[in-house]
Structures are given as C-alpha cells and as structure tokens.
Amino acid sequence: MAAKKKRRRILILHGPNLNLLGTRQTEIYGTTTLQDVNRRIVSLADELGVETRIIQSNHEGVLIEAIHEVRDWADVIIINAGAFTHYSIA
C-alpha cells in the first residue's frame, strides 16, 4: 500500500496597510480588497491540496512571532511585505 502523500502547508503573511486594500487610493491600488485576495489564495490552495494559514498585521513583531510559531508546521512562508518594503528597520 502506498504511503499517503503529506499535504503541503503554507503560511501567508500580509504586512502593514494591506488591510486597507480596496478602500484606500483605489485609483492607484484598485478595488480588490485583502479579503478578495485571501479568498483567491484559499480557493487555489484548496484546488492544489495545500493547507494555508493567512495572517495580516500592521505590527512587525506579530509577523515575526507568527513565523516562529509555524517553524515546525509550515513548508513554505510567503510574505507580502506591504509598507515594510519601504520602512522596516528589522
């Protein structure tokens, strides 16, 4: 009997201000909300048989703690850094 294939696990981290997607400067960033993005991620992950956890925070420490918490769980971590691409001091 073949061994059951382990389901992949991905942590998705959304950084500062991404909670404002679709509501702030829509002429620049469009009207797609973070909830819309997350629904697409979950839908694709389900199609691919991937388990996901999704976290958004405006606080760098929360995101770092999330990484530490899943280090034995996640196979992959994807970070959508948001404003950290401009201002992080970490």
Side-chain angles (χ1 to χ4, degrees):
M1 185 172 192
K4 186 174 181 181
K5 188 175 181 180
K6 179 187 167 210
R7 195 171 178 189
R8 295 287 182 187
R9 297 174 174 162
I10 299 176
L11 172 66
I12 308 286
L13 297 175
H14 297 296
N17 299 325
L18 292 172
N19 57 308
L20 300 176
L21 281 176
T23 63
R24 185 180 80 126
Q25 293 180 289
T26 56
E27 67 281 359
I28 296 170
Y29 301 111
T31 58
T32 301
T33 66
L34 186 60
Q35 292 76 16
D36 296 333
V37 171
N38 288 340
R39 276 192 290 274
R40 290 166 127 176
I41 291 169
V42 169
S43 178
L44 180 58
D46 287 345
E47 285 179 36
L48 298 173
V50 174
E51 187 176 346
T52 59
R53 292 184 189 172
I54 302 173
I55 297 170
Q56 185 280 325
S57 181
N58 294 315
H59 304 282
E60 191 170 30
V62 170
L63 299 172
I64 292 168
E65 289 298 324
I67 292 169
H68 285 264
E69 288 173 14
V70 301
R71 66 178 214 244
D72 293 327
W73 177 85
D75 298 303
V76 174
I77 297 172
I78 298 172
I79 184 165
N80 182 4
F84 285 142
T85 62
H86 304 288
Y87 307 111
S88 178
I89 58 170

